[in-house]
Structure formats: C-alpha cells, structure tokens
Amino acid sequence: MEIIELARSIRARDPARPTWVEAITCYAGLQAVLMHRLAHALYRGGFRALARAVSHSNRFITGIEIHPGAKIGRRLFIDHGMGVVIGETAEIGDDVLIYHGVTLGGLTLDSTGKPGKRHPTIGNGVAIGAGAQVLGPITVGDGARVGANAVVSRDVPPGETVVGIPARPPQEHRIMPAVARRRAVPQHSPGYGLLDEPCDPVGEELAALRAEVAQLRAELADVRRRTVMASGGVGQTAAE
C-alpha cells in the first residue's frame, strides 16, 4: 500500500522521526503524491480537465503543484514542499528527495514551440536542495545532488554534486574566456529568463580579471629582466 510505503520513507529519512500518524496526516509531500496518482490516472485516461482540477486542488491544499502528466516513481519525499513545481513532461525516479521551492521546469528549445519533452528527468536517489531550479529536457543521474538555489540547465552525471549559478561541481574551476564576448540578443528564449547559450557573467568578469593579472605579471617580469640586464651592462662598463 503506497501510503504506508511513503510514510515509512518519511519516518526513515526525516531526522525529526515523526510518528506514523504525523507522517500520514501532517506531511504535505505524502498527500501531494497520493493526489497526483489520482490526477495522473485521470490524465492517462483522457480526462484532462478533471485531471487538472484534481491537480489544482492538490496545489490549493498542499502548496505543491504537480502537473498530472508528470511521471513520479516510488517513495518520493517532498520535504516541507511549499512552492514545489513539477512540470508536465518531468520524470522522477525512485527514492528522490525534493525540498521546498524546487522547480522542475520546462524549456522550449524548439523555436517553433512544438510540444515534446521539455522538463527534466530525475534519476533514482537524487536529492534536490531548497530553491533549486532544474530546467529543460536534461537528465540528473542516479544519486546526484543539486545544491540549494542552484540553476541546472545541463545534464548532471550520476553521483555528482552541483552548486551555484550556473550549477557546476564545487571543485571545478573552469577556464573562462579572457574577454567576455558580446552576446547578440537571442531571437528565441527557451524560457525562465535564460539565453540561448550558457551565461555566467560573474565567471566571465573573474576570468577577465585573471587574464589581466596574468598579463601584468608577464609585463612586470619583462621589466625586471630588462632592469637586471641594464644594471649588469652598467656594472660591466664601470669595471672597464
């Protein structure tokens, strides 16, 4: 029985160690998943309007918005849950942990706006921190971790941890262009305020500063070398 399976998962994973009654009656994530099962069944049966009505009621009651077309695996734990949005073509594996404020959003990468896969696929055992935005038809691999408030718009390998905007592994130090290239205004935005290519203005500014410092160091080394050579020549002339 899924309600028992969900409650058992909550009791095992929540450090607050709620009682069975608390897990079943006081956790919006559990209630949201159960209501989504009904909405999804109606959606697959062709009762789209009724499915959306159930989904809307789910959002009103729990604060969690799950499109009835989304595919959700077993033992999904939505902790706190307020503000979570899961889009129509999103797919979520088993034993996934999602905190409040997370968006599994869609990007329309096709400029024609044709329907299709627009939302992320989340693997088994993934944890997504509060406020993270996982956008587009990307894949977050099994066991991956997404830090709070990260913006993920590229695939995440299995077992990897990504943080920041744009999201990347914390130990990764990318070499950015020395001078930020001028970006043309995109003819088509995929959504969520993103450009048609990765944008990291802070990283590009830091890269420009690194390049300038490296250039200054090279010039200073050249000046020192010339000074040494000049002083050596003067000393030799004086000795003669």
Side-chain angles (χ1 to χ4, degrees), residues 123-141:
N124 299 326
V126 172
I128 305 177
Q133 311 295 303
V134 186
L135 308 175
I138 63 174
T139 299
V140 180

Side-chain angles (χ1 to χ4, degrees), residues 40-58:
H40 187 65
L42 292 170
Y43 186 86
R44 294 189 61 185
F47 302 97
R48 299 289 182 94
L50 187 55
R52 291 301 297 268
V54 173
S55 174
H56 190 73
S57 300
N58 189 5

Side-chain angles (χ1 to χ4, degrees), residues 110-178:
D110 186 346
S111 60
T112 63
K114 295 180 180 179
K117 176 67 171 171
R118 306 184 310 280
H119 300 84
T121 297
I122 309 299
N124 299 326
V126 172
I128 305 177
Q133 311 295 303
V134 186
L135 308 175
I138 63 174
T139 299
V140 180
D142 294 349
R145 299 289 182 268
V146 177
N149 296 315
V151 176
V152 186
S153 58
R154 295 291 183 269
D155 290 346
V156 179
E160 186 65 89
T161 297
V162 293
V163 296
I165 304 174
R168 65 182 70 130
Q171 71 277 8
E172 179 180 321
H173 300 285
R174 295 188 303 173
I175 300 175
M176 302 295 293

Side-chain angles (χ1 to χ4, degrees), residues 1-14 18 20 23-24 27-35 37 72-78 95-96:
M1 192 173 182
E2 186 171 21
I3 188 171
I4 300 300
E5 185 177 50
L6 289 171
R8 182 181 292 112
S9 176
I10 289 171
R11 297 187 72 232
R13 303 174 74 177
D14 191 341
W20 281 99
I24 293 173
Y27 278 73
L30 179 147
Q31 299 157 11
V33 170
L34 293 179
M35 292 186 70
R37 298 301 188 203
I72 294 179
R74 300 173 62 182
R75 297 178 296 278
L76 171 62
F77 181 18
I78 304 177
D95 301 305
V96 172

Side-chain angles (χ1 to χ4, degrees), residues 209-223:
L209 289 174
R210 291 193 192 101
E212 186 174 350
V213 169
Q215 182 179 357
L216 290 173
R217 285 177 175 173
E219 292 176 358
L220 181 59
D222 185 57
V223 170

Side-chain angles (χ1 to χ4, degrees), residues 85-87 90 103-107 118-120 133-137 192:
V85 177
I86 300 175
T103 298
L104 304 184
L107 296 181
R118 306 184 310 280
H119 300 84
Q133 311 295 303
V134 186
L135 308 175
Y192 289 90

